[in-house]
Amino acid sequence: MASAVPSIARLNRLYDRATSLVALGVWECDLDTSALTWTNGVYQLFGLSPLIAPDRAATVELYHEESRREMEALRAEAIATGRGFVLDARIQTVSGVERWMRLTADVEHDDGRPRWLYGAKQDITEDRARIDRLRDLAERDPLTGLANRGMFQAAFYDLSETLFRARGLSALILIDLDDFKQVNDRLGHSAGDECLRQIAARLRHLFGDAFLVSRIGGDEFAILLNAAVDRDELMLRLGKALAVLRFPVFWRGKPVDVGASAGATLLACEDPHDPVLRFGEADAALYLAKADGRGTARIFAPDHSVQPVATSVAAAAALRSPRGWASTPSLGLVRQVGS
């Protein structure tokens, strides 16, 4: 009579067939040697041959830069704490095909020390495309196409300490249009909407390298930078941005004067991630910029000292103020709103 207990070989075949239905594979990493053990599903995910032993360094290079930083940060945290993680990572196969992968990981210990990482990797490319389409509807501002307040909340307020460090966020900028209510009052809300669309397009261009450009209120915008930037570089970028934002927008072929003020705070990866505090710093800087007569920008610093206002882009770039309030002017490149 045939045995009621299936053989190991049959169980392995069953596992391979079942996991192939959901593009899933399992993996293990020996933390002493970095040797990897994969099932067929992982080889297929990366487009690699199962006849060649996988190499961790080469595999990590198949992650896109941001996903690689996040994975390495979560991996280090898992080894240090013994807690697993789940990460949706963007990868590229050896033949250049873009994919999204859900990485699930946990830690196995031996004599009280972390000895192996193990888990599953699943191709979620199609699911991610569907989710992204739904997310665009939920997290995009329908008027401007920028990220909305909910997306800003998720990207900044809801960010874990580990991912904050991994993403390398360097500055938070708040921009508020000056006297925008007058545009609505004089020309109507249709003109105001067109003004917001054109300003949003300028911000998207000015901060094309930003982690996030979002509209968080009626005429309020928030920008998260993740490129390395110091106080002088940020001051220069803000000055240039305000100069561009002060060019008139056009409504029915006629120019409409606009302007903006900005407040910013620098974010340091080595500091604790305190989004409420950091937003308050940028908001305080914006408040002082508005109080200065608008059309200006200020950068927060802990001692709240004041740096004299520069009078040109060159002067703004030349300012050297390691501490204190750094202030940029309206730069005089285009006329003031209402002048």
Side-chain angles (χ1 to χ4, degrees), residues 26-103:
V26 299
W27 61 276
E28 180 183 78
C29 179
D30 186 321
L31 295 177
D32 286 349
T33 65
S34 293
L36 298 175
T37 303
W38 291 353
T39 62
N40 286 336
V42 181
Y43 284 101
Q44 292 168 4
L45 182 58
F46 287 100
L48 293 166
S49 169
L51 300 177
I52 302 173
D55 176 76
R56 183 174 186 275
T59 303
V60 167
E61 288 301 312
L62 296 175
Y63 285 69
H64 278 254
E65 182 179 354
E66 182 179 329
S67 291
R68 181 166 57 247
R69 288 199 308 267
E70 293 179 0
M71 181 274 293
E72 294 285 29
L74 291 171
R75 182 181 189 271
E77 183 179 52
I79 294 170
T81 65
R83 295 192 299 268
F85 65 90
V86 178
L87 173 69
D88 287 356
R90 188 179 171 200
I91 65 169
Q92 182 174 284
T93 70
V94 290
S95 60
V97 177
E98 298 279 336
R99 286 180 177 161
W100 278 94
M101 172 188 74
R102 177 156 297 149
L103 169 62

Coordinates of all heavy atoms in Angstrom, one line a residue, residues 26-103:
V26 N 11.8 31.6 -1.8 CA 12.3 31.8 -0.4 C 13.8 31.9 -0.5 O 14.5 31.4 -1.4 CB 11.8 30.7 0.6 CG1 10.3 30.8 0.7 CG2 12.3 29.4 0.1
W27 N 14.4 32.5 0.5 CA 15.9 32.7 0.5 C 16.4 32.7 2.0 O 15.7 32.8 2.9 CB 16.2 34.1 0.0 CG 15.5 35.2 0.8 CD1 14.3 35.7 0.7 CD2 16.2 36.0 1.8 NE1 14.0 36.7 1.6 CE2 15.2 36.9 2.3 CE3 17.4 36.0 2.4 CZ2 15.4 37.8 3.4 CZ3 17.7 36.8 3.5 CH2 16.7 37.7 3.9
E28 N 17.7 32.5 2.0 CA 18.4 32.5 3.3 C 19.8 33.1 3.1 O 20.4 32.9 2.0 CB 18.5 31.1 3.9 CG 19.3 31.0 5.2 CD 19.4 29.6 5.7 OE1 20.3 28.9 5.1 OE2 18.6 29.1 6.5
C29 N 20.3 33.9 4.0 CA 21.6 34.4 4.0 C 22.4 34.1 5.2 O 21.9 34.3 6.4 CB 21.5 36.0 3.8 SG 23.2 36.8 3.8
D30 N 23.5 33.4 5.1 CA 24.4 33.1 6.2 C 25.2 34.3 6.6 O 26.0 34.9 5.8 CB 25.4 32.0 5.7 CG 26.3 31.5 6.9 OD1 26.7 32.3 7.7 OD2 26.5 30.3 6.9
L31 N 24.9 34.8 7.8 CA 25.5 36.1 8.2 C 27.0 36.0 8.4 O 27.7 37.0 8.5 CB 24.8 36.7 9.4 CG 23.3 37.0 9.2 CD1 22.7 37.5 10.5 CD2 23.2 38.1 8.2
D32 N 27.5 34.8 8.6 CA 29.0 34.6 8.8 C 29.7 34.7 7.5 O 30.8 35.2 7.4 CB 29.3 33.3 9.5 CG 28.9 33.3 11.0 OD1 28.6 34.4 11.5 OD2 28.9 32.3 11.6
T33 N 29.1 34.2 6.4 CA 29.8 34.0 5.2 C 29.2 34.9 4.0 O 29.8 35.0 3.0 CB 29.8 32.6 4.7 OG1 28.5 32.1 4.4 CG2 30.4 31.7 5.8
S34 N 28.0 35.4 4.3 CA 27.2 36.1 3.2 C 26.7 35.2 2.1 O 26.3 35.6 1.1 CB 28.0 37.3 2.6 OG 28.2 38.3 3.6
A35 N 26.9 33.8 2.3 CA 26.4 32.9 1.3 C 24.9 32.9 1.2 O 24.2 33.0 2.3 CB 26.9 31.5 1.6
L36 N 24.4 32.9 0.0 CA 22.9 32.9 -0.2 C 22.4 31.6 -0.6 O 23.0 30.8 -1.4 CB 22.6 33.9 -1.3 CG 22.9 35.4 -1.0 CD1 22.7 36.3 -2.2 CD2 22.2 35.9 0.2
T37 N 21.2 31.2 -0.2 CA 20.5 30.1 -0.6 C 19.1 30.5 -1.1 O 18.4 31.2 -0.4 CB 20.3 29.0 0.5 OG1 21.6 28.7 1.1 CG2 19.6 27.8 0.0
W38 N 18.8 30.2 -2.4 CA 17.6 30.6 -3.0 C 16.8 29.4 -3.6 O 17.4 28.4 -4.0 CB 17.9 31.5 -4.2 CG 18.4 32.9 -3.9 CD1 18.5 33.5 -2.7 CD2 18.8 33.8 -4.9 NE1 19.1 34.7 -2.8 CE2 19.3 35.0 -4.1 CE3 18.9 33.8 -6.3 CZ2 19.8 36.1 -4.8 CZ3 19.4 35.0 -6.9 CH2 19.8 36.1 -6.1
T39 N 15.5 29.6 -3.6 CA 14.7 28.6 -4.4 C 14.5 29.2 -5.8 O 14.9 30.4 -6.1 CB 13.3 28.4 -3.8 OG1 12.6 29.6 -3.7 CG2 13.4 27.8 -2.3
N40 N 13.9 28.4 -6.7 CA 13.8 28.8 -8.1 C 13.1 30.2 -8.3 O 13.5 30.9 -9.2 CB 13.1 27.7 -8.9 CG 13.9 26.5 -9.1 OD1 15.2 26.6 -9.1 ND2 13.3 25.4 -9.4
G41 N 12.1 30.4 -7.4 CA 11.4 31.7 -7.6 C 12.2 32.9 -7.5 O 12.0 33.9 -8.1
V42 N 13.2 32.9 -6.6 CA 14.1 34.1 -6.5 C 15.0 34.2 -7.7 O 15.2 35.3 -8.2 CB 14.9 34.0 -5.2 CG1 15.8 35.2 -5.0 CG2 14.0 33.8 -4.0
Y43 N 15.6 33.1 -8.2 CA 16.4 33.2 -9.4 C 15.5 33.8 -10.5 O 16.0 34.6 -11.3 CB 16.8 31.8 -9.8 CG 17.9 31.2 -9.0 CD1 17.7 30.2 -8.0 CD2 19.2 31.6 -9.2 CE1 18.7 29.7 -7.2 CE2 20.3 31.0 -8.5 CZ 20.0 30.1 -7.5 OH 21.0 29.6 -6.7
Q44 N 14.3 33.3 -10.7 CA 13.5 33.9 -11.8 C 13.2 35.4 -11.6 O 13.1 36.1 -12.5 CB 12.2 33.1 -11.8 CG 12.3 31.6 -12.2 CD 11.1 30.8 -12.0 OE1 10.1 31.3 -11.6 NE2 11.2 29.5 -12.3
L45 N 13.0 35.8 -10.3 CA 12.7 37.2 -10.0 C 13.8 38.1 -10.5 O 13.5 39.1 -11.1 CB 12.5 37.3 -8.5 CG 12.1 38.7 -8.0 CD1 10.8 39.2 -8.6 CD2 11.9 38.7 -6.5
F46 N 15.1 37.7 -10.3 CA 16.2 38.5 -10.7 C 16.7 38.1 -12.1 O 17.6 38.8 -12.6 CB 17.4 38.3 -9.7 CG 17.1 39.0 -8.4 CD1 16.7 38.3 -7.3 CD2 17.3 40.4 -8.3 CE1 16.5 38.9 -6.1 CE2 17.2 41.0 -7.1 CZ 16.7 40.3 -6.0
G47 N 16.1 37.1 -12.8 CA 16.5 36.8 -14.1 C 17.8 36.1 -14.1 O 18.6 36.1 -15.1
L48 N 18.2 35.3 -13.1 CA 19.5 34.7 -12.9 C 19.3 33.2 -13.1 O 18.2 32.6 -12.9 CB 20.1 34.9 -11.6 CG 20.5 36.4 -11.3 CD1 20.8 36.6 -9.9 CD2 21.7 36.8 -12.2
S49 N 20.4 32.5 -13.5 CA 20.4 31.1 -13.7 C 20.6 30.4 -12.4 O 21.5 30.7 -11.6 CB 21.5 30.7 -14.7 OG 21.7 29.3 -14.7
P50 N 19.8 29.3 -12.1 CA 19.9 28.6 -10.9 C 21.2 27.7 -10.9 O 21.5 27.1 -9.9 CB 18.7 27.7 -10.8 CG 18.2 27.6 -12.2 CD 18.6 28.9 -12.9
L51 N 21.9 27.6 -12.0 CA 23.1 26.9 -12.1 C 24.3 27.6 -11.6 O 25.4 27.0 -11.4 CB 23.4 26.5 -13.6 CG 22.3 25.6 -14.3 CD1 22.7 25.4 -15.7 CD2 22.1 24.3 -13.5
I52 N 24.1 28.9 -11.3 CA 25.2 29.8 -10.8 C 24.9 30.2 -9.4 O 23.8 30.7 -9.2 CB 25.4 31.0 -11.7 CG1 25.7 30.5 -13.1 CG2 26.5 31.9 -11.2 CD1 25.8 31.7 -14.1
A53 N 25.8 30.0 -8.5 CA 25.5 30.4 -7.1 C 25.4 31.9 -7.0 O 26.1 32.6 -7.5 CB 26.7 29.9 -6.2
P54 N 24.3 32.3 -6.3 CA 24.1 33.8 -6.2 C 25.1 34.5 -5.3 O 25.6 33.9 -4.4 CB 22.7 33.9 -5.6 CG 22.5 32.6 -4.8 CD 23.3 31.6 -5.6
D55 N 25.5 35.7 -5.7 CA 26.5 36.5 -5.0 C 25.7 37.7 -4.4 O 25.1 38.4 -5.1 CB 27.6 36.9 -5.9 CG 28.6 37.9 -5.2 OD1 29.4 37.4 -4.5 OD2 28.5 39.1 -5.5
R56 N 25.9 37.9 -3.1 CA 25.1 39.0 -2.4 C 25.5 40.4 -3.0 O 24.6 41.2 -3.3 CB 25.3 39.0 -0.9 CG 24.5 40.0 -0.2 CD 24.5 40.0 1.3 NE 23.6 41.0 1.7 CZ 23.8 42.3 1.9 NH1 25.0 42.7 1.6 NH2 22.9 43.1 2.3
A57 N 26.8 40.6 -3.1 CA 27.2 42.0 -3.6 C 26.6 42.3 -5.0 O 26.1 43.4 -5.3 CB 28.7 42.1 -3.6
A58 N 26.6 41.3 -5.9 CA 26.1 41.5 -7.2 C 24.6 41.6 -7.2 O 24.0 42.4 -8.0 CB 26.5 40.3 -8.1
T59 N 23.9 40.9 -6.3 CA 22.5 41.0 -6.2 C 22.0 42.3 -5.7 O 21.1 42.9 -6.2 CB 21.9 39.9 -5.3 OG1 22.4 38.6 -5.8 CG2 20.4 39.9 -5.2
V60 N 22.8 42.9 -4.7 CA 22.4 44.2 -4.1 C 22.5 45.3 -5.2 O 21.7 46.2 -5.2 CB 23.4 44.5 -2.9 CG1 23.3 45.9 -2.5 CG2 23.0 43.6 -1.7
E61 N 23.4 45.1 -6.1 CA 23.6 46.1 -7.2 C 22.3 46.1 -8.1 O 22.1 47.1 -8.9 CB 24.8 45.8 -8.0 CG 26.1 46.1 -7.3 CD 26.2 47.6 -6.9 OE1 25.9 48.5 -7.8 OE2 26.5 47.9 -5.8
L62 N 21.5 45.1 -8.1 CA 20.3 45.0 -8.9 C 19.1 45.8 -8.3 O 18.1 46.0 -8.9 CB 19.9 43.6 -9.2 CG 20.8 42.7 -10.0 CD1 20.4 41.3 -10.0 CD2 21.0 43.3 -11.4
Y63 N 19.3 46.3 -7.0 CA 18.3 47.2 -6.4 C 18.5 48.6 -6.9 O 19.7 49.0 -7.0 CB 18.5 47.2 -4.9 CG 18.0 45.9 -4.2 CD1 18.7 44.7 -4.3 CD2 16.9 46.0 -3.3 CE1 18.3 43.6 -3.6 CE2 16.5 44.9 -2.6 CZ 17.2 43.7 -2.8 OH 16.7 42.5 -2.1
H64 N 17.4 49.3 -7.1 CA 17.6 50.7 -7.4 C 18.1 51.4 -6.1 O 17.9 51.0 -5.0 CB 16.2 51.3 -7.8 CG 15.9 51.1 -9.2 ND1 16.0 52.1 -10.2 CD2 15.5 50.0 -9.9 CE1 15.7 51.6 -11.3 NE2 15.4 50.3 -11.2
E65 N 18.8 52.6 -6.3 CA 19.6 53.2 -5.2 C 18.7 53.4 -4.0 O 19.2 53.0 -2.9 CB 20.2 54.5 -5.7 CG 21.0 55.2 -4.6 CD 21.6 56.5 -5.1 OE1 21.5 56.8 -6.3 OE2 22.3 57.2 -4.3
E66 N 17.6 54.0 -4.1 CA 16.8 54.3 -2.9 C 16.3 53.0 -2.2 O 16.4 52.9 -1.0 CB 15.5 55.1 -3.2 CG 14.7 55.5 -2.0 CD 13.5 56.3 -2.4 OE1 13.6 57.1 -3.4 OE2 12.5 56.2 -1.7
S67 N 15.9 52.0 -3.0 CA 15.5 50.7 -2.4 C 16.7 50.0 -1.7 O 16.6 49.4 -0.7 CB 14.9 49.8 -3.5 OG 13.6 50.3 -3.9
R68 N 17.9 50.2 -2.4 CA 19.1 49.6 -1.8 C 19.4 50.2 -0.4 O 19.7 49.5 0.5 CB 20.2 49.7 -2.8 CG 21.5 49.1 -2.3 CD 22.6 48.9 -3.4 NE 22.9 50.2 -4.0 CZ 22.6 50.5 -5.2 NH1 22.0 49.7 -6.0 NH2 23.0 51.7 -5.7
R69 N 19.3 51.5 -0.3 CA 19.6 52.2 0.9 C 18.6 51.7 2.0 O 19.0 51.4 3.1 CB 19.5 53.7 0.8 CG 20.7 54.3 0.0 CD 20.8 55.8 0.3 NE 19.5 56.5 0.1 CZ 19.1 57.1 -1.0 NH1 20.0 57.1 -2.1 NH2 18.0 57.7 -1.2
E70 N 17.3 51.6 1.6 CA 16.3 51.2 2.6 C 16.5 49.8 3.0 O 16.4 49.5 4.2 CB 14.9 51.5 2.0 CG 14.6 52.9 1.8 CD 13.2 53.1 1.1 OE1 12.5 52.1 0.9 OE2 12.8 54.3 0.9
M71 N 16.8 48.9 2.1 CA 17.0 47.5 2.4 C 18.2 47.3 3.3 O 18.1 46.6 4.3 CB 17.2 46.7 1.1 CG 17.4 45.2 1.3 SD 19.1 44.7 1.6 CE 19.9 45.1 0.1
E72 N 19.3 48.0 3.0 CA 20.5 47.8 3.9 C 20.2 48.4 5.3 O 20.7 47.8 6.3 CB 21.7 48.5 3.2 CG 22.2 47.9 1.9 CD 22.9 46.6 2.1 OE1 22.6 45.8 3.1 OE2 23.8 46.2 1.3
A73 N 19.5 49.5 5.4 CA 19.2 50.0 6.7 C 18.3 49.1 7.5 O 18.6 48.9 8.7 CB 18.6 51.4 6.5
L74 N 17.3 48.6 6.9 CA 16.4 47.6 7.6 C 17.1 46.3 7.9 O 16.8 45.7 9.0 CB 15.1 47.4 6.7 CG 14.2 48.6 6.5 CD1 13.1 48.2 5.5 CD2 13.5 48.9 7.9
R75 N 17.9 45.9 7.0 CA 18.7 44.7 7.3 C 19.6 44.8 8.5 O 19.7 44.0 9.4 CB 19.6 44.3 6.1 CG 20.4 43.1 6.1 CD 21.2 42.9 4.9 NE 21.8 41.6 4.8 CZ 23.0 41.3 5.3 NH1 23.8 42.3 5.9 NH2 23.6 40.1 5.2
A76 N 20.3 46.0 8.6 CA 21.2 46.2 9.7 C 20.4 46.3 11.0 O 20.8 45.8 12.1 CB 22.0 47.5 9.5
E77 N 19.2 47.0 10.9 CA 18.3 47.1 12.1 C 17.8 45.7 12.5 O 17.8 45.4 13.7 CB 17.2 48.0 11.8 CG 16.3 48.2 13.0 CD 15.1 49.2 12.7 OE1 14.4 48.9 11.7 OE2 14.9 50.1 13.4
A78 N 17.5 44.8 11.6 CA 17.0 43.5 11.9 C 18.1 42.7 12.6 O 17.8 42.0 13.6 CB 16.6 42.8 10.6
I79 N 19.3 42.8 12.1 CA 20.4 42.0 12.7 C 20.7 42.6 14.1 O 20.9 41.8 15.1 CB 21.7 42.2 11.9 CG1 21.5 41.4 10.5 CG2 22.9 41.6 12.6 CD1 22.6 41.7 9.5
A80 N 20.6 43.9 14.3 CA 20.8 44.5 15.6 C 19.7 44.2 16.7 O 20.0 44.0 17.9 CB 21.0 46.0 15.5
T81 N 18.5 44.1 16.2 CA 17.4 44.0 17.1 C 16.7 42.6 17.1 O 16.0 42.3 18.1 CB 16.3 45.1 16.8 OG1 15.7 44.7 15.5 CG2 16.8 46.5 16.7
G82 N 17.0 41.8 16.1 CA 16.3 40.5 16.0 C 14.9 40.6 15.5 O 14.2 39.6 15.5
R83 N 14.5 41.8 15.0 CA 13.1 41.9 14.5 C 13.1 41.9 13.0 O 14.0 42.6 12.4 CB 12.5 43.2 15.0 CG 12.3 43.3 16.5 CD 11.4 44.5 16.9 NE 12.0 45.7 16.5 CZ 12.7 46.5 17.3 NH1 13.0 46.0 18.5 NH2 13.2 47.6 16.9
G84 N 12.2 41.2 12.4 CA 12.1 41.2 10.9 C 11.5 42.4 10.3 O 11.2 43.4 11.0
F85 N 11.4 42.4 9.0 CA 10.9 43.5 8.3 C 10.2 43.1 7.0 O 10.5 42.0 6.5 CB 11.9 44.6 8.1 CG 13.0 44.1 7.1 CD1 12.9 44.3 5.7 CD2 14.2 43.5 7.6 CE1 14.0 43.9 4.9 CE2 15.2 43.1 6.8 CZ 15.1 43.3 5.4
V86 N 9.4 44.0 6.4 CA 8.9 43.8 5.1 C 9.1 45.1 4.3 O 9.0 46.2 4.8 CB 7.3 43.6 5.2 CG1 6.8 43.4 3.7 CG2 7.0 42.3 6.0
L87 N 9.6 45.0 3.1 CA 10.0 46.1 2.3 C 9.5 45.9 0.8 O 9.9 44.8 0.3 CB 11.5 46.4 2.3 CG 12.0 47.5 1.4 CD1 11.5 48.9 1.8 CD2 13.5 47.5 1.3
D88 N 8.9 46.8 0.2 CA 8.6 46.8 -1.2 C 9.8 47.5 -1.9 O 9.9 48.7 -1.7 CB 7.3 47.4 -1.6 CG 6.1 46.6 -1.1 OD1 6.3 45.4 -0.7 OD2 4.9 47.0 -1.3
A89 N 10.5 46.7 -2.7 CA 11.8 47.3 -3.3 C 11.7 47.3 -4.8 O 11.2 46.3 -5.4 CB 13.0 46.4 -2.8
R90 N 12.3 48.3 -5.4 CA 12.4 48.4 -6.8 C 13.7 47.8 -7.3 O 14.8 48.2 -6.8 CB 12.3 49.9 -7.2 CG 12.2 50.1 -8.7 CD 12.1 51.6 -9.0 NE 12.2 51.8 -10.4 CZ 12.5 53.0 -10.9 NH1 12.8 54.0 -10.1 NH2 12.6 53.2 -12.2
I91 N 13.6 46.8 -8.2 CA 14.8 46.1 -8.7 C 14.8 46.1 -10.2 O 13.9 46.5 -10.9 CB 14.9 44.7 -8.1 CG1 13.7 43.8 -8.7 CG2 14.9 44.6 -6.6 CD1 13.9 42.4 -8.5
Q92 N 15.9 45.6 -10.7 CA 16.1 45.5 -12.2 C 16.8 44.1 -12.4 O 17.7 43.7 -11.7 CB 17.0 46.6 -12.7 CG 17.2 46.6 -14.2 CD 18.0 47.8 -14.6 OE1 17.5 48.9 -14.7 NE2 19.3 47.6 -14.9
T93 N 16.2 43.3 -13.3 CA 16.8 42.0 -13.6 C 18.1 42.2 -14.3 O 18.5 43.3 -14.8 CB 15.9 41.2 -14.5 OG1 15.8 41.7 -15.8 CG2 14.4 41.1 -13.9
V94 N 18.9 41.1 -14.5 CA 20.2 41.2 -15.2 C 20.0 41.6 -16.6 O 20.9 42.1 -17.2 CB 20.9 39.9 -15.1 CG1 21.4 39.6 -13.7 CG2 20.1 38.7 -15.6
S95 N 18.8 41.4 -17.2 CA 18.5 41.8 -18.6 C 17.9 43.2 -18.7 O 17.6 43.7 -19.7 CB 17.6 40.8 -19.3 OG 16.4 40.7 -18.6
G96 N 17.8 43.9 -17.5 CA 17.3 45.3 -17.5 C 15.8 45.5 -17.3 O 15.3 46.6 -17.5
V97 N 15.1 44.4 -17.0 CA 13.6 44.5 -16.8 C 13.3 45.1 -15.4 O 13.9 44.6 -14.4 CB 12.9 43.2 -17.0 CG1 11.4 43.3 -16.7 CG2 13.2 42.6 -18.4
E98 N 12.5 46.2 -15.4 CA 12.2 46.8 -14.1 C 11.1 46.0 -13.4 O 10.1 45.6 -14.0 CB 11.6 48.2 -14.3 CG 12.6 49.2 -15.0 CD 13.6 49.7 -14.0 OE1 13.3 49.8 -12.8 OE2 14.7 50.1 -14.4
R99 N 11.3 45.7 -12.1 CA 10.3 45.0 -11.3 C 10.2 45.6 -9.9 O 11.1 46.2 -9.4 CB 10.7 43.5 -11.2 CG 10.5 42.7 -12.5 CD 10.9 41.3 -12.4 NE 10.6 40.6 -13.6 CZ 11.1 39.4 -13.9 NH1 12.0 38.8 -13.1 NH2 10.8 38.8 -15.1
W100 N 9.1 45.3 -9.3 CA 8.9 45.6 -7.9 C 8.8 44.2 -7.1 O 8.2 43.3 -7.6 CB 7.6 46.3 -7.6 CG 7.8 47.8 -7.9 CD1 7.5 48.5 -9.0 CD2 8.3 48.8 -6.9 NE1 7.8 49.8 -8.8 CE2 8.2 50.0 -7.6 CE3 8.7 48.7 -5.6 CZ2 8.7 51.2 -6.9 CZ3 9.1 49.9 -5.0 CH2 9.1 51.1 -5.6
M101 N 9.5 44.2 -6.0 CA 9.6 42.9 -5.2 C 9.2 43.2 -3.8 O 9.6 44.2 -3.2 CB 11.1 42.4 -5.3 CG 11.4 41.3 -4.4 SD 13.2 40.9 -4.4 CE 13.8 42.3 -3.4
R102 N 8.4 42.3 -3.2 CA 8.2 42.4 -1.8 C 9.1 41.5 -1.1 O 9.1 40.3 -1.2 CB 6.7 42.0 -1.5 CG 6.4 42.0 0.0 CD 4.9 42.2 0.3 NE 4.5 43.5 -0.2 CZ 3.3 43.7 -0.7 NH1 2.4 42.7 -0.8 NH2 2.9 44.9 -1.1
L103 N 10.0 42.1 -0.2 CA 11.0 41.4 0.5 C 10.5 41.2 1.9 O 10.3 42.2 2.6 CB 12.3 42.2 0.5 CG 13.4 41.7 1.4 CD1 13.9 40.3 1.1 CD2 14.6 42.7 1.3

